[in-house]
Amino acid sequence: MQHLAATVSNALTQRLGALPNAAIALCAATRPTTLARGQSLLRAGDCWSNLLWIERGALRLYYLDRDGAESNKNFFLDDALFWPITPKLRDQPVGFFVDALADSRVWAVPIAPLMQALANHAAWVDMQRHTLCALLDDKMHREQAFLQTSARQRYEALLRDHPVWADRIALRHLASYLGITDVSLSRLRADMGLTKG
């Protein structure tokens, strides 16, 4: 089992360089979780207490509105690494869901002891700062796009910025991410000459 346990450690090492022994030990104690398509990893009301690394597969993060309609906010594919980066995300139950879009293999490392082990690790501090900046930039960009651009412009931006999503994620989930119906996205794709037949 040691060769399996090294996998998440290797993923962190690729991003952070050499890890402290305490972080290596935490990674060595983890085991992957296999998720079937549609299976939940996190549900609204759960506590998010782990750093998550997707060895392979695809996950989506989404909210339910008061009528029960889903609204996709982000997608995570192979080799994605994400964690509860703010104290509120770590300390309070989440309001969103994370489900598998495809059969997936995910590693979870307990975030509190990992953060303690990496507290003085400069590359970890830099990665957290970079991730926070990227999240804020993305949030502001999406808000501006919803206010100032058409659905077609948002879809064109998605194809440009996330080309793999178009190949790996179902149109109904992409439509939700874009804030339109799947019917509208199908029509839009037809107008753009992206459909066959």
Side-chain angles (χ1 to χ4, degrees), residues 37-125:
R37 181 179 177 182
Q39 188 174 350
S40 292
L41 182 63
L42 276 174
R43 301 183 62 79
D46 288 349
C47 290
W48 186 8
S49 57
N50 296 304
L51 173 142
L52 302 168
W53 176 63
I54 305 173
E55 180 183 348
R56 65 173 184 270
L59 305 179
R60 69 178 176 121
L61 187 154
Y62 67 98
Y63 287 90
L64 293 180
D65 69 16
R66 60 182 166 226
D67 298 320
E70 297 177 359
S71 178
N72 290 314
K73 297 303 176 188
N74 212 339
F75 304 103
F76 305 95
L77 305 181
D78 307 314
D79 198 37
L81 185 74
F82 60 109
W83 66 97
I85 195 166
T86 67
K88 187 172 182 180
L89 284 171
R90 293 190 294 272
D91 298 339
Q92 298 181 18
V94 298
F96 53 80
F97 297 77
V98 176
D99 287 359
L101 286 170
D103 292 349
S104 301
R105 184 175 165 102
V106 181
W107 297 74
V109 182
I111 192 64
L114 182 65
M115 290 184 74
Q116 185 175 4
L118 296 173
N120 298 315
H121 195 68
W124 168 252
V125 174

